[in-house]
Amino acid sequence: MIPSAVVRHVGSASSGGSKSEFALFHGYRNRFWVLVKDTPGLLLPLVLPAHLMAASYVALRKPHRPYLGVTLRAYRAALAGLGPVLARRRVVQRTRRRSALEMARMMTWDPRDLLRRRAVIRPLPPTRSAGA
């Protein structure tokens, strides 16, 4: 160990950069899988179409059009690999500690946030203890 050593991280260097086909493919595919796996059933019919519309909007904008092919491949792969994700979803939803309403309150419902890809971070309310 060298205590004075400094490590400088170059983001996404090993995957070819943030606009590499590798990064885009896995980003789109995995984001879809996480949404399907983790979103409560009551929210999924609302959130999934909004997510797909926002992703389509971003993919079709002029600066992103060259990557449209990789985006479509990612969604095809996401659908093809949905079986294990749905199996994992059953476990995640069964052990979820937050209600759909609590999760809805933490989410943004402003389409401008989605279209601008603006992060909206709301604190989680404390969970109720088992004895409460």
Side-chain angles (χ1 to χ4, degrees):
M1 281 204 310
I2 304 172
S4 61
V6 175
V7 175
R8 301 203 192 284
H9 174 71
V10 178
S12 304
S14 62
S15 66
S18 63
K19 293 289 184 196
S20 73
E21 285 199 14
F22 179 89
L24 289 169
F25 175 88
H26 289 90
Y28 275 106
R29 186 198 65 184
N30 294 354
R31 204 169 11 259
F32 180 82
W33 282 349
V34 166
L35 183 74
V36 169
K37 177 177 63 77
D38 294 338
T39 304
L42 292 173
L43 295 177
L44 199 56
L46 299 170
V47 174
L48 188 58
H51 169 79
L52 293 173
M53 285 189 298
S56 298
Y57 172 77
V58 169
L60 293 172
R61 289 179 51 204
K62 191 171 185 175
H64 299 279
R65 270 188 225 139
Y67 310 107
L68 186 57
V70 72
T71 303
L72 294 173
R73 280 197 324 272
Y75 278 115
R76 278 195 298 272
L79 291 173
L82 209 49
V85 174
L86 292 173
R88 180 71 183 137
R89 174 185 167 74
R90 287 188 282 280
V91 173
V92 167
Q93 294 304 312
R94 199 171 40 246
T95 59
R96 184 166 40 88
R97 296 184 344 195
R98 299 285 180 168
S99 72
L101 182 59
E102 285 176 305
M103 292 180 74
R105 286 182 180 147
M106 290 181 275
M107 299 167 75
T108 181
W109 295 97
D110 186 341
R112 294 170 297 183
D113 293 332
L114 299 172
L115 296 176
R116 293 180 187 144
R117 301 175 75 184
R118 181 172 48 207
V120 176
I121 302 170
R122 294 190 177 98
L124 293 169
T127 57
R128 286 168 282 187
S129 64

